[in-house]
Amino acid sequence: MQDLTPRKEDLDPIEIASRDEISALQLQRMKASLRHAYDNVAHYKASFDAAGVHPDDLTSLDDLAKFPFTTKQDLRANYPFGMFAVPRDQVARVHASSGTTGQPTVVGYTKNDLDMWGTVVARSLRASGLRPGDLLHNAYGYGLFTGGLGIHLGADKLGLTTVPISGGMTQRQVRLIEDFGAKGITVTPSYALSILDEYAAQGLDPRKSPLQVGIFGAEPWTNAMRREIEDAFDMHAVDIYGLSEVVGPGVANECVEAKDGLHIWEDHFYPEIIDPDTGQVLPDGALGELVFTSLTKEAFPIIRYRTRDLTRLLPGTARSMRRMEKVTGRSDDMIILRGVNVFPTQIEEQLMEISALAPHFQLELNRVGHKDEMRVKVETLPDTVELGDEAGRALASRVKQAVGVTVKVDVSGPGGVARSQGKAVRIVDNRPKE
Ligand code: DLL
């Protein structure tokens, strides 16, 4: 793998500023953001008033803890444009979540917001090792999802050649990566695996592909998966994080030279970690739920938004800005199986240890009698079909050892597990609704 470390002089100065400078900027911006939300969004005025707090009460960053949280329910209750802080005709763009669990959540951006978003995505792509003039194959979905168009904004800003291929039509993905000579690929890690399969199907060696870096996010993935993908393509794999409610991709990104967690672009997004049960702010280093406050957004300021993503905050390394550890999972995706908490990433880690199994998996939950049962659906590789039973037993035993739950493993042949073209569906819950 080539050294893709960006040059120091190409970084935004704030990325390597002192902590004091970063905190001073954050405080000044946080005051303005709270004031903007309070003055222009009825929901924030009502929720601050109900909690007995006013933007003037914030004199230090720690004072943020006095302000109420914002949840997905608040956004739904204000569907579609009730959380906007500017008149609708100043909103240059809207995006929306898929809304699989009810009403979609709508978010909006002014022209300045789009400019800020482009800046943080450009910073993310540069941290990943891309430079002006490089060719980027952008396979995140274009549309209401923030992935495709968000990456596109940053790619334009950094001066890349962007191939806006979006998701799907996997044969064509491989063809264009090869024909155009893509240096970078932006895609979900699960869809990257489908592209990898397609290399094999076309008889091509992925290690000979022009790709030098993959920038993977929009769903949880493990360091074990990183090793698998890096080895398969002979390229770097870095993690990009974001969510629509905060901006989209580009809230945090790993640096290619360190790959030690994702630097949060703290000059625009202020992170906290809380205890998900009590709402108490936890010290850096503790595992809990990530909460974000936007510092510069105009159309859709967001104050103390509960992401439900579980991680911890760590000090800066390659950049001064704090890092978040790779996300363990969403609290909504936590399975409680006979009293034990299980995240799909824990199963992924064990699966990656078994060389006879492909990296694709799905978890199926069933109610059998009065008990819940989890079936792990996996598949063999083309040349390991006869090792399937043994590999399945090995996986069940590893999961029992490392995670502490008994699972059934269903091993099929190649192609047996449902593929994703975007975010993978890891859990199929067949249990009766209570
Ligand atoms: O997934 C934005 C995005 C697009 C991020 C492309 C990175 C790349 P949403 O659809 O609103 O936005 O989903 C946000 O996805 O709260 C996490 O649960 C999950 N997620 C996003 N990035 C990561 C990541 C986009 N790197 C939700 N690791 C978030 C783990 C991630 N989970």
Side-chain angles (χ1 to χ4, degrees):
M1 280 187 273
Q2 294 206 8
D3 179 8
L4 299 180
T5 312
R7 297 184 311 178
K8 218 170 180 177
E9 58 267 35
D10 290 337
L11 305 182
D12 295 338
I14 193 72
E15 292 180 63
I16 44 172
S18 70
R19 280 308 308 180
D20 285 350
E21 273 176 88
I22 294 171
S23 304
L25 182 68
Q26 286 175 325
L27 182 58
Q28 175 208 329
R29 289 180 167 180
M30 193 181 283
K31 285 180 178 171
S33 190
L34 288 173
R35 162 66 66 186
H36 176 56
Y38 186 79
D39 288 348
N40 297 296
V41 182
H43 167 81
Y44 285 118
K45 173 150 195 335
S47 75
F48 290 12
D49 287 351
V53 283
H54 186 271
D56 291 345
D57 297 338
L58 186 107
T59 55
S60 74
L61 292 170
D62 290 342
D63 286 339
L64 185 62
K66 297 178 186 157
F67 287 78
F69 293 116
T70 307
T71 62
K72 188 108 179 161
Q73 285 68 35
D74 296 325
L75 307 188
R76 289 216 176 104
N78 289 285
Y79 175 85
F81 300 153
M83 297 296 278
F84 288 5
V86 299
R88 211 273 307 131
D89 63 3
Q90 287 174 40
V91 174
R93 171 95 65 83
V94 295
H95 280 281
S97 72
S98 51
T100 42
T101 49
Q103 235 161 27
T105 328
V106 181
V107 298
Y109 308 76
T110 62
K111 279 208 162 64
N112 287 336
D113 293 335
L114 291 177
D115 192 56
M116 178 276 283
W117 191 11
T119 299
V120 291
V121 172
R123 207 187 268 177
S124 300
L125 297 173
R126 187 173 55 225
S128 306
L130 295 176
R131 297 172 181 216
D134 286 344
L135 194 134
L136 177 68
H137 183 94
N138 184 18
Y140 284 120
Y142 279 66
L144 285 174
F145 174 54
T146 51
L149 284 159
I151 294 291
H152 196 113
L153 271 177
D156 278 353
K157 192 147 222 173
L158 187 59
L160 305 182
T161 306
T162 310
V163 182
I165 186 155
S166 194
M169 295 203 265
T170 315
Q171 288 183 351
R172 195 178 64 171
Q173 301 271 351
V174 172
R175 169 129 201 217
L176 297 195
I177 291 169
E178 291 294 312
D179 290 355
F180 296 175
K183 175 170 170 188
I185 180 167
T186 36
V187 64
T188 59
S190 57
Y191 190 44
L193 294 176
S194 304
I195 294 177
L196 184 60
D197 283 348
E198 184 57 30
Y199 266 84
Q202 295 189 22
L204 294 169
D205 180 357
R207 292 181 62 87
K208 297 212 173 89
S209 89
L211 291 171
Q212 291 183 37
V213 61
I215 302 157
F216 302 118
E219 61 186 10
W221 58 297
T222 58
N223 281 317
M225 178 74 88
R226 186 207 305 276
R227 287 189 290 274
E228 173 99 11
I229 296 178
E230 286 195 329
D231 186 52
F233 280 104
D234 188 26
M235 70 172 180
H236 297 278
V238 298
D239 198 348
I240 183 167
Y241 171 87
L243 63 166
S244 327
E245 295 87 341
V246 174
V247 75
V251 172
N253 205 93
E254 271 183 326
C255 291
V256 69
E257 66 270 40
K259 293 182 199 154
D260 57 354
L262 303 90
H263 289 273
I264 297 170
W265 306 131
E266 281 191 82
D267 47 339
H268 296 285
F269 316 110
Y270 187 82
E272 296 169 281
I273 293 286
I274 63 162
D275 177 325
D277 297 324
T278 66
Q280 282 299 307
V281 176
L282 300 177
D284 284 9
L287 181 66
E289 180 181 341
L290 185 59
V291 169
F292 275 110
T293 297
S294 67
L295 299 180
T296 54
K297 288 209 305 174
E298 295 178 344
F300 191 85
I302 190 102
I303 310 298
R304 303 199 84 204
Y305 185 68
R306 293 191 59 160
T307 65
R308 304 196 199 172
D309 292 323
L310 301 174
T311 182
R312 53 182 111 234
L313 291 176
L314 304 168
T317 49
R319 304 288 187 278
S320 317
M321 302 198 189
R322 279 178 289 176
R323 289 165 299 148
M324 54 186 268
E325 194 174 69
K326 257 177 155 325
V327 172
T328 311
R330 291 175 65 77
S331 48
D332 329 23
D333 281 347
M334 187 177 83
I335 301 158
I336 305 178
L337 194 65
R338 298 187 292 276
V340 181
N341 298 348
V342 184
F343 286 98
T345 46
Q346 292 175 289
I347 306 295
E348 180 176 297
E349 269 171 4
Q350 300 313 315
L351 170 62
M352 293 299 147
E353 296 298 322
I354 300 176
S355 55
L357 295 177
H360 311 283
F361 73 102
Q362 197 168 53
L363 308 177
E364 192 183 275
L365 298 171
N366 299 305
R367 173 86 29 98
V368 181
H370 294 290
K371 278 190 171 172
D372 286 346
E373 130 191 311
M374 181 158 89
R375 303 190 87 88
V376 183
K377 310 244 169 199
V378 292
E379 61 183 58
T380 61
L381 301 165
D383 54 356
T384 58
V385 175
E386 68 288 358
L387 301 174
D389 289 347
E390 191 189 319
R393 281 194 298 275
L395 179 59
S397 140
R398 289 195 77 101
V399 170
K400 176 83 193 162
Q401 283 278 316
V403 189
V405 289
T406 303
V407 296
K408 300 242 172 3
V409 178
D410 292 344
V411 185
S412 60
V417 176
R419 296 292 193 268
S420 92
Q421 297 196 338
K423 290 180 194 256
V425 177
R426 291 298 187 204
I427 301 172
V428 177
D429 193 346
N430 297 325
R431 296 173 298 180
K433 302 273 167 289
E434 323 242 306

